[in-house]
Amino acid sequence: MIERVINNIEKVIKGKREAIEVVVAALLAKGHVLMEDVPGVGKTMLARALALSLGVDFRRVQFTPDLLPTDLTGLYIYDRKKEDFVFKKGPVFTDVLLADEINRATPRTQSALLEAMAEGQVTVDGVTHRLSERFFVIATQNPIEYEGTFPLPEAQLDRFMICVKMGYPDEEAEIQMLTSQEKEHPISQLEPVMNPDELSELQKKVRNVFVSDEVKKYIVDIASATRNHPSLLLGMSPRGSIALMHFSMALAFMDGRDFVLPDDVKRAAVYVIPHRVIQSAESKLKREKKEDIVREILDRVKVVK
C-alpha cells in the first residue's frame, strides 16, 4: 500500500522519490513536516498529491501577517435561528493541512497552529475541540526571502518531526515534468490508492516496530554528541530523541522490517536533527552546514553491540 502511494505521488512530483518517502514516513510516524526550499520546486503540489492519494481531507492556508489565530482554529458566531453561539470550525479541522509560508504569519498565529500540532486539539473560548486522529501538518517556508517574515523560534521548530529540502530536479526529471504538463496538470487525474482506515491501521503497525535497547542507546549517544559538539550552541532535545526513534521505526516499517537497525537511525538523523540544533558563531563564520555536522557526529558515534 505504501509503494502504491509513493508511485501515485511520483506521477506528479518527478525525480524526488527520497523526499516523497520521508514525508510519507513522517505521516506514518504521526509527526509533522517542515519543508524549507525556494518557490516552485513542488512543496505545495507534494502535499496535495499526498492527500489525494490517501483519500483524506485536505486544506491549504496561506500564512500572511494579518492572519489571525481564529482564522486557523475557528470561532463562535451567533446563530439567530438557534439564538445561540455556534462554533464554526477553522481549517485545522482536517486530515492534511498545508501551512504555506508559515514564517510570514505573526508569532501569535504560528503558536496557535503549533498548539494544535502538539496537543491534537484546540481550545476556543474555554471549550476544547479534538482534531482528526490523522491530523498532519506540512508547513513550508522560503529560506531566501526574509523580508516581512517572523522566523520560527527553536522551541517551535522542535515540534516538527523532520525538515525536508526538495531541491531542484535533475535535467531528466525536469524534462519528464514538462512532458507531463503539456496539456494539463497530472494532479487533476490523480485517484486515491488508499483509504483513511488503511492509513490509521498502518500508523498503528508502525508503533509496534521493535526498538532494541542497543538502538535506543545509540539514539541517546547521538543526542548527547549534539549537546557536546564544539560547533553547536544548542543540541538536540529529548523530544528530538523521541522523534528520531519514531521516524526510524517508520523507515524500518517502510523497508519491510518489524525492527529498527542503526542504519535506519542514520538515515533518519539527517532529517530529524539539523533544524533542532543551533550553530555557534564560529561555525557560521566557517560556513559549516548543519547537515555536515550531523554526518560527522554519525561517523564518530559508534553502535553499541
Side-chain angles (χ1 to χ4, degrees):
M1 285 190 289
I2 295 170
E3 189 68 21
R4 286 205 309 268
V5 169
I6 293 170
N7 291 339
N8 206 43
I9 297 172
E10 281 194 306
K11 293 177 183 177
V12 178
I13 308 295
K14 305 295 184 182
K16 293 295 172 187
R17 188 176 181 87
E18 174 70 10
I20 295 169
E21 285 183 354
V22 297
V23 170
V24 171
L27 172 63
L28 293 176
K30 292 192 172 183
H32 302 286
V33 176
L34 178 65
M35 303 190 79
E36 186 178 69
D37 219 320
V38 295
V41 293
K43 301 187 294 294
T44 301
M45 206 52 62
L46 194 158
R48 285 185 60 196
L50 175 65
L52 284 169
S53 299
L54 298 172
V56 296
D57 292 333
F58 172 78
R59 300 289 295 272
R60 175 182 180 272
V61 178
Q62 182 66 48
F63 278 60
T64 55
D66 60 347
L67 190 74
L68 299 174
T70 51
D71 294 331
L72 286 174
T73 61
L75 73 165
Y76 281 91
I77 57 174
Y78 187 73
D79 189 322
R80 286 187 175 181
K81 291 182 180 178
K82 296 181 179 180
E83 295 185 348
D84 197 5
F85 285 92
V86 178
F87 183 64
K88 182 181 178 182
K89 292 181 178 180
V92 294
F93 289 88
T94 186
D95 293 319
V96 177
L97 175 69
L98 174 64
D100 220 351
E101 294 191 293
I102 188 173
N103 56 333
R104 292 209 173 277
T106 60
R108 185 181 175 195
T109 303
Q110 290 173 2
S111 63
L113 173 63
L114 293 163
E115 177 191 358
M117 290 164 55
E119 306 296 334
Q121 63 186 32
V122 294
T123 302
V124 181
D125 290 346
V127 180
T128 300
H129 304 268
R130 294 293 304 174
L131 301 178
S132 166
E133 290 183 1
R134 294 177 292 271
F135 181 60
F136 176 62
V137 174
I138 298 180
T140 71
Q141 63 178 9
N142 180 357
I144 304 300
E145 188 182 353
Y146 286 113
E147 187 175 347
T149 63
F150 302 87
L152 292 172
E154 285 67 32
Q156 293 182 0
L157 285 171
D158 205 28
R159 299 288 181 183
F160 291 95
M161 177 171 279
I162 63 170
C163 180
V164 184
K165 294 177 171 61
M166 294 279 287
Y168 291 113
D170 58 32
E171 186 177 300
E172 183 181 348
E174 196 158 2
I175 291 172
Q176 290 176 1
M177 182 186 67
L178 295 176
T179 303
S180 68
Q181 297 190 36
E182 276 184 292
K183 293 182 173 62
E184 63 177 354
H185 202 292
I187 201 164
S188 61
Q189 303 296 324
L190 218 59
E191 297 288 338
V193 293
M194 184 188 292
N195 63 54
D197 290 336
E198 288 173 328
L199 172 61
S200 296
E201 188 62 31
L202 289 177
Q203 289 176 328
K204 290 176 184 176
K205 288 183 177 181
V206 166
R207 289 299 168 96
N208 289 325
V209 171
F210 176 70
V211 186
S212 69
D213 289 341
E214 290 81 8
V215 171
K216 290 175 183 174
K217 175 71 163 58
Y218 181 50
I219 290 171
V220 172
D221 287 346
I222 291 171
S224 297
T226 66
R227 296 164 193 163
N228 299 299
H229 198 282
S231 296
L232 299 176
L233 283 177
L234 179 69
M236 184 169 70
S237 68
R239 184 190 288 124
S241 300
I242 295 169
L244 183 55
M245 180 182 70
H246 286 160
F247 191 56
S248 300
M249 291 162 68
L251 292 176
F253 182 77
M254 288 176 64
D255 206 30
R257 282 176 283 105
D258 60 358
F259 58 92
V260 175
L261 293 173
D263 284 345
D264 298 318
V265 178
K266 286 183 178 180
R267 183 185 176 194
V270 294
Y271 296 104
V272 174
I273 300 176
H275 68 286
R276 301 175 189 274
V277 298
I278 299 178
Q279 287 175 272
S280 64
E282 186 179 349
S283 177
K284 289 179 181 178
L285 285 172
K286 291 179 180 177
R287 299 187 178 230
E288 292 178 335
K289 293 182 178 179
K290 292 181 181 179
E291 292 80 2
D292 292 336
I293 296 172
V294 171
R295 290 188 181 95
E296 184 261 314
I297 289 172
L298 294 174
D299 289 339
R300 184 160 48 85
V301 176
K302 301 301 180 185
V303 183
V304 179
K305 295 184 180 179

